[in-house]
Amino acid sequence: MEPNDTQPGGQSGRTITIQLTRDTLMLLAALLFLGVAILLAIFFPPASSSNPTPTASGPSLASSTDAAGVRATVAAATPGALVQATAGGASRPAGGAATPAGYPAPNGVAEQPSAAALPEQRLTTTPPTAQPPTTPASPSELPIFSPSRPTQPAAGGVGGPQQQPYPAPQTPIATFAQPTSVRSSTTQQTSPAISPTDPVFDETETDTPEPSAAATAEPQPTRAPEPAATPRPPQPTPTPAPTAVPVDVLRGTVRWTAAQSPIVLRRDQQVIAGATLIIEPGAEVRLAPGVSIFVDGTVYALGQPNRPVRIVGSERQRWEGIFGRPGANITMEHTHIRGGGAGGTVLLSEGGNLTLHNAHINDNGGHVQVNDSRLELRDSEIAGNDMPYGSALEASYGSGGGVILTNNRIGGNRMQPGTSPVRISNQSTFDTLNLDLRGNLLVGSEGPDIVLSTNGPLLGGLTCNAFVGGTNGLSVRSETPQVPGFALNVRDNATEKHTPPIIPEYLRYGIGRGATSEIALDMRSNWWGSALGPYEPDRHADGRGEAVGDNIEFAPWLTERPTCAPIQ
């Protein structure tokens, strides 16, 4: 026979399994031990009996047992037999001692269901303690005590000294829908039909898992989540080889004719050394955005007055430029250049020769740059361009050279403040730079009209030029106080319409600065905008024309504007 140790309040307690075939003496000893424990609990109540804990029926467990008695029906052969407790009494396993009433609730306070609310409760046995047997359990085995939960005996009840509850389970227990007892399933996972008076509980309640020696319902296998794919460590990316920029190489003699127009260039063009590119009159060359023409050989753009050569952009975005490398020769006549200069330079000659006759360089995003190249610019115009840096025409020489500027119109460009339309530099101290500047109209805005920067000798002349507008006409700069062999002839130039500096005398008479020089400069026989001559505070305070610097020799001056100088 297998009595079930149940606890009041509707929860299973301890299970005693009596074995009939083995060791009868041990069975008798166990029964004797149980009887002694009951007697000790009766004669030695717990220390907390002075403050009785209310039970489901109100009085203590012992008194309720004596008053109403216990009706218990135990099925001898069924492990999951039920124990019925009458109202007002505590449940007692058949042949065993009364079990203390009430379990600790999840918050540590024992739940005590009312006898009136629960006239009769039916509890099922708690699964036995888990002991992994090598052989199935049989009725002949020794009794097994399987405490499922800690109990707290009621005050004045039987069961020995008060026990401390087990530590709280790690898994949080769900809150019951209403105060009620916990129902546990039998080892066969069956339970009697629930009567209308059975307690209602939350289906989501979780009990502390209890091991069982008998076979319990096999839990449904939980499908483990598929492990995320472990990212492979990044493989080192090989450094790609530099991609060659597409370029069309021109060899021998290549002609671009008007019949082929428009000639659309979608890739860079390279005229290799020894090759010649001839652009015939009336031809139109269109360059895609960012495309350049690199010249190592020779380029002739041979337009005519009524059939100019046009080098323009194929789209609204700017193309790059025409770049002459060392040894290159670039000659352009009656040629229009528009829409270039995406990188700040539309035309470059470096260590070669650049000749422009009747060229029109307009509406570009860059300037004309010459480095150590012979420059000849005649009857041409550089106007209406956007210059992100530098002058509209900038020529620099490190070992001497020659510059010819004749009858050109350079002005009306958008440049950085303080930048001049033309800047010519001689960086050598001993090599001579030859200049021939005649009949040019140079119009400034917020800087000098022309800057000559030299550390060495300058030869040649500046004649019949018009320096108009801006803050200054001619500016000569040098880091050498006395330049040997400086024999520059400056005659018959017109200097006028410059902005007066913020000085009372200059503002009163509208006098601008016509010329400044850091070295001794002979500028006699020039027009300063007034028949009275230039203004110089110490040497010619009566002058009302453009002012001159201390290092400039100006007398005699021209009393009339020279006819050879162009008019704006």
Side-chain angles (χ1 to χ4, degrees):
M1 178 175 64
E2 181 183 358
N4 297 322
D5 187 2
T6 59
Q7 298 184 17
Q11 299 192 8
S12 300
R14 301 182 179 180
T15 302
I16 302 175
T17 304
I18 299 177
Q19 315 244 343
L20 300 177
T21 59
R22 290 186 183 180
D23 205 351
T24 307
L25 292 177
M26 293 187 67
L27 175 61
L28 294 177
L31 294 175
L32 180 60
F33 175 78
L34 181 60
V36 172
I38 293 173
L39 292 177
L40 290 176
I42 294 174
F43 290 101
F44 298 92
S48 61
S49 60
S50 58
N51 296 323
T53 302
T55 61
S57 60
S60 65
L61 177 63
S63 61
S64 63
T65 304
D66 296 338
V70 178
R71 288 191 300 111
T73 304
V74 180
T78 305
L82 302 176
V83 177
Q84 295 180 342
T86 59
S91 63
R92 181 196 303 271
T99 304
Y103 280 111
N107 58 2
V109 180
E111 290 185 23
Q112 302 298 335
S114 173
L118 303 175
E120 183 172 345
Q121 299 177 347
R122 281 185 278 180
L123 303 176
T124 58
T125 59
T126 303
T129 306
Q131 296 182 6
T134 57
T135 60
S138 65
S140 61
E141 293 178 355
L142 292 177
I144 299 175
F145 296 92
S146 176
S148 60
R149 291 177 183 258
T151 60
Q152 239 177 351
V158 182
Q162 185 175 359
Q163 301 178 4
Q164 295 296 329
Y166 288 119
Q170 297 298 325
T171 304
I173 299 178
T175 306
F176 291 102
Q178 66 180 34
T180 180
S181 300
V182 180
R183 294 196 314 175
S184 301
S185 60
T186 62
T187 56
Q188 289 83 4
Q189 298 299 322
T190 60
S191 61
I194 301 175
S195 65
T197 59
D198 285 340
V200 180
F201 59 93
D202 191 352
E203 293 293 342
T204 60
E205 176 191 4
T206 57
D207 289 331
T208 304
E210 297 176 353
S212 174
T216 59
E218 184 177 355
Q220 295 296 328
T222 303
R223 185 175 181 180
E226 295 184 1
T230 303
R232 300 179 62 184
Q235 300 296 327
T237 303
T239 303
T243 303
V245 178
V247 59
D248 291 334
V249 178
L250 306 182
R251 296 179 172 87
T253 300
V254 179
R255 291 180 178 271
W256 291 346
T257 66
Q260 299 171 330
S261 299
I263 302 167
V264 181
L265 306 180
R266 303 190 182 280
R267 300 195 300 182
D268 290 347
Q269 307 292 307
Q270 181 181 7
V271 182
I272 63 173
T276 301
L277 171 62
I278 301 174
I279 307 176
E280 296 185 355
E284 180 174 313
V285 181
R286 298 180 181 177
L287 286 77
V291 172
S292 301
I293 298 177
F294 298 98
V295 182
D296 294 296
T298 301
V299 171
Y300 293 117
L302 304 176
Q304 296 177 357
N306 57 346
R307 300 181 65 195
V309 170
R310 292 171 52 83
I311 303 176
V312 298
S314 62
E315 301 178 17
R316 297 186 63 179
Q317 293 178 312
R318 298 192 187 280
W319 49 280
E320 193 71 28
I322 301 173
F323 303 105
R325 294 171 174 174
N329 297 295
I330 300 175
T331 300
M332 295 183 175
E333 295 183 358
H334 295 282
T335 301
H336 296 176
I337 301 176
R338 292 179 179 271
T345 300
V346 66
L347 184 59
L348 169 67
S349 179
E350 190 165 6
N353 295 285
L354 177 61
T355 302
L356 301 176
H357 294 170
N358 293 283
H360 294 264
I361 302 174
N362 310 108
D363 193 23
N364 296 282
H367 64 172
V368 178
Q369 174 74 43
V370 176
N371 296 327
D372 293 321
S373 294
R374 179 183 178 275
L375 172 61
E376 182 177 340
L377 182 64
R378 298 178 183 271
D379 303 307
S380 299
E381 177 183 84
I382 303 176
N385 302 283
D386 292 321
M387 311 293 181
Y389 57 86
S391 301
L393 173 61
E394 189 161 344
S396 177
Y397 297 88
S399 57
V403 176
I404 299 174
L405 301 179
T406 305
N407 300 328
N408 301 293
R409 296 166 300 280
I410 303 175
N413 300 288
R414 288 171 289 276
M415 301 177 296
Q416 293 296 321
T419 305
S420 62
V422 176
R423 180 183 180 90
I424 301 174
S425 301
N426 180 21
Q427 301 172 359
S428 174
T429 305
F430 305 102
D431 297 319
T432 302
L433 177 62
N434 294 280
L435 301 177
D436 183 7
L437 280 66
R438 292 182 290 111
N440 301 288
L441 174 63
L442 307 180
V443 181
S445 56
E446 299 183 24
D449 300 324
I450 181 172
V451 173
L452 300 180
S453 178
T454 181
N455 292 324
L458 293 177
L459 295 179
L462 281 73
T463 58
C464 296
N465 300 289
F467 307 133
V468 181
T471 58
N472 194 3
L474 171 64
S475 177
V476 179
R477 300 174 182 176
S478 176
E479 295 180 0
T480 305
Q482 297 295 328
V483 178
F486 191 88
L488 192 62
N489 182 25
V490 184
R491 297 285 187 274
D492 299 320
N493 298 289
T495 304
E496 53 196 2
K497 300 181 181 178
H498 294 99
T499 303
I502 306 177
I503 299 174
E505 194 70 16
Y506 286 76
L507 294 174
R508 178 180 178 184
Y509 297 105
I511 299 173
R513 289 175 173 167
T516 59
S517 178
E518 296 177 356
I519 58 177
L521 180 62
D522 186 356
M523 290 191 68
R524 292 177 289 182
S525 301
N526 288 282
W527 168 254
W528 301 100
S530 173
L532 297 178
Y535 173 78
E536 209 286 318
D538 296 331
R539 293 178 293 164
H540 189 50
D542 295 334
R544 294 297 177 262
E546 301 288 309
V548 294
D550 295 339
N551 296 322
I552 296 176
E553 180 66 35
F554 56 88
W557 59 86
L558 295 179
T559 58
E560 295 181 355
R561 193 179 192 278
T563 58
C564 63
I567 300 175
Q568 184 182 13

